[in-house]
Amino acid sequence: MKYKAVIGLEMHCELKSNSKVFSPSRNSYSELANSNVNAIDLAFPGTMPSANKKCVKDSIKMAMVLNCRIPEYMLFDRKNYFYPDLPKGYQLTQFTMPVGVHGHVDVPFEGGILPVDIHDIHLEEDAASMDHLENSSVIDYNRGGVPLLELVTEPCLHSAKEAVAFLEFMRSAYQYCDASEADTKKGQIRCDVNVSIMDEDATELGTRVEIKNVNSFGNVHDAIVYEIKRQSDLKDAGRYDEVVQETRRFDEESGRTIHMRSKEDAVDYKYFVEPNIPRYRITPEWKESIRREIPRLSHERRREYLETYGFSETDATVLTRDKGISDYFEKCVDLGMEPKEACNWVTGSIVAWLNKNEAEIKDFYLTPEMLKFIYDNVKKGTISGKQAKEVFTKVLDEKKEPSAFISKENAQISDAGELEKIIDEIIARSPKEVEGYRNGRDRLFDYFVGQVMKATRGKANPIMTKDILHSKLDV
Amino acid sequence: MKYTEKSIVELHGLLKSGELTPADLLAESLEKIHVLQDKCNAFVTIIDDAEPEAVTDSLLSGIPYGVKDLYSTKDILTTGSSNTLRDYVPFFSATAVENLDKAGAVKAAKTVTDEFGMGGTGTTGHTGIVHNPWDLDRMCAGSSAGSACAVSAGVVPFALGTDTGDSIRKPAAYCGIVGFKPTYGMISRYGVFPFASSIDHCGAFARSVADVAIVIDAMKGKDDKDMTTWDSSHIHLYDDLKPQLAGMKLCYVKELCDISHYPNPHRELREHLANFMEKMELLRANGAIVEEVSVDQALLNAQPSVYVILSCAEATSNLANLTGLIFGPRGDGETYIDVMKDHRTHGFSSLIKRRLVIGSYVLQKENQERYFKNAQRVRRLLVDRWKELYQTYDAVILPVGTGPAKHLDGSLDILDEGTSPLEEHMQIGNFGGFPSITIPDGFIDGLPVGMNITGNNYEDQKVLNIAAAIEGLMDYKDQIAREVKR
């Protein structure tokens, strides 16, 4: 590439919570239109906001993940503009004092590190969603007031790949912190992308173009690639003056960005501090307790799995994709399972079962404790590896404790002394068959195995049985 | 029958003893409300189908009252005296109204306000001007004009007001009654149409300090729906009301009260200030320590502009929900912008539009620092100065306005030079969220005038105790408007 691209991202992520960020309406998506609304969401006269503490807490948590400076007080501002998706005529957001500023994260990227500077992260409310039909528009206020965290990076990224790596890193962080499902398919993440280009040796940034409301990481990638090319082509043709400061949108079908509005149309939002929410002190104690809730994130765990346990890239990826899976694996190791074996169980049988049943690990019936119990019985030789798989399936099918399937009754006999005793008795009462076998009638070996199984009602450890029989007969 | 002219305590006794039934009391009140409506135009809605409440131990049970039309009342038209909400019937009540419902009080009428509380004359409501029952050619002041009018005329024992600048305390003075707004956050504002949220207060009118204490006790309380409310469950204003003056340290501001500060003062202003000084002597004679303090004239002069800037700025945003899209009459137009514009253009009076333009102007990026931010700074300076006074004094005591009620025909009033700080000083009580009460303190030409007592935050009890003591030294308790015949 001839030119250096400079990219900044604004990432909006809907937070997980029972109720909306400033009202007691339910925060849940894709239900019947306008079913999760109340007087506050619709800005009926006299209604007032009440800040949701869980959302405030999660916003502080994410600011910490981004290593931001966190203010002493929580404050909200009004961003004033008229639009039908905004019943109050203003959006509650954070302008004067965002919950996090001046952050920095190192994102793992292509085997190295991608340093990303964060301008700020702030908590705000989402607007309602609108559908524009041919002659009219319809509004669904369910989304109005849904908690939204917006993070703004500095213009410090230089390619579509870097941008996507950062977004994926953040998506995982949101999920690991249990702050959001961060599901782009549900529209929970939306991005604005700022792109400019400059000569490699230039010191001044080029003209910045903003692409608004890009709703998947794939589209973020394509929009950046398209925009860099569009600007580069114009620059090549000596028409860089045609690159103007403007807002564009990404058209998925054509894969192009399209002009929306120019800088002159920019709105003055007349921000001022929301008077109805008194400044709320973020005490050092509260901060500390929030910090303690932050789990080890996926990239930290991944590094550990690769370096400490020596797992393959594939295994590390499968184990860390979902925090629930990783937590399950780590619990198994904590309980004393061999890491490699725990990994095999999790990445093998468990993930396969979850995929097949379209289930999630949080709803998985078989706990790490149960898995450890099965594992211990294999180690003790009470059951075989094959039987362990059967017990695993039975536990999940019948929703019973594994001990229900590994009782004394049906346990495998793997005690060498016990088996030897049984085998000695059989040999003693079968002189004809012993003689026949020793004279070359190999098939008679199966007769002895059958006898042992008969005597133990099938519970004899088959391998041990064969070993002992061989040692007794093959003399 | 003249039961509605009696005090709440007296009425409660009559209701309890069975001498008076809640139904008869309500019927009398409604009848008088209709008569007053013809005379003074104080009501937006008269609740003719109101149901009497059973008498309980609650002092307010069965007592009819007036509700300023900014308080949402479930299933009862609530207009904010604005065409933008002329048909709006809320499906929930303001928390303060709910609290009064629980106390058994009976809503008898919704009273006229200046449109959305934004005015000080009682002349800008969509149902027309409100006349002062003492003199129909004069105003009640505003914005809680209808409530002041109703209490003063004796058609209800109490009524609700809101106060962003002095919207309870000025009309109380003009109508010769008691008006009190307690500390910011003592009464929930949830469900009350906002004007300027950081200085909006709820409060009430009655004809005595004791009655107003009873009403505030019932209205107040922490509310999960209003984050600015605080727990006042330990405060019982009426039960703990103990008139007290001896040993109390009060101060008045020289720059506002000294007649020599006004060049060529009009007779009414001279009499008003002289009456006030006379009353200060009366307080001293009864054991109060009353001192004169000085406040920077520049600060006092800046104060009215600070109020205009802050209140208009917040109002532009608070009134932005009035678009006619979700509630209110839907405007005409091809686009959503046209529809909103049409609703607002036809809905708001010109006074409101003027204030919204000012508010929008002072918040614009290029003006915000110069106007809005500076106004916030001056607000802080004024509040700090008053807080400093409270280090030494129990309360600040000042005359209300420049004399009795002004004429509805403004050309009849003589505006004295330099009186704007005296006219507007009660706004400092809103800037600081201070408990502040107006009580009648005399007459000029047969028309009532008032004084204001403002204390430090959370010292509501002290303010009421002082006011009750002063009330006891004078003859204006429980007074009913006596129309001045010309």
Side-chain angles (χ1 to χ4, degrees), chain A residues 38-51 78 80 82-84 86-90 139 141 267-268 270-278 280, chain B residues 72 85 88 91-92 184 189-194 197-198 224-228 314 317-318 320-321 323 325-327 336 340 344 360 363-366 368 372:
Chain A
N38 68 9
I40 300 170
D41 306 324
L42 295 181
F44 273 81
T47 53
M48 298 168 76
S50 289
R78 292 185 183 180
N80 297 285
F82 285 100
Y83 199 68
L86 198 65
K88 290 194 292 291
Y90 54 86
I139 313 179
Y141 289 102
V267 188
D268 178 354
K270 293 179 254 166
Y271 289 98
F272 69 94
V273 171
E274 164 61 59
N276 287 320
I277 303 176
Y280 186 85
Chain B
S72 298
L85 293 177
Y88 174 61
F91 55 91
F92 58 98
Y184 188 76
R189 286 178 290 119
Y190 188 85
V192 180
F193 297 178
S197 309
S198 77
D224 288 341
K225 293 179 183 151
D226 176 355
M227 292 184 79
T228 65
E314 289 188 32
S317 173
N318 278 335
N321 63 336
T323 57
L325 291 182
I326 298 178
F327 45 80
Y336 76 90
M340 289 180 180
R344 293 169 73 85
S360 202
L363 281 176
Q364 275 166 12
K365 220 181 203 166
E366 61 271 30
Q368 197 173 110
F372 186 66

Side-chain angles (χ1 to χ4, degrees), chain B residues 436-467:
Chain B
S436 184
I437 191 169
T438 289
I439 60 171
D441 76 338
F443 284 91
I444 293 174
D445 300 336
L447 295 169
V449 288
M451 62 162 66
N452 175 267
I453 302 144
T454 299
N456 203 355
N457 296 128
Y458 311 110
E459 297 197 336
D460 302 73
Q461 189 74 58
K462 191 197 275 183
V463 167
L464 292 186
N465 288 349
I466 293 169

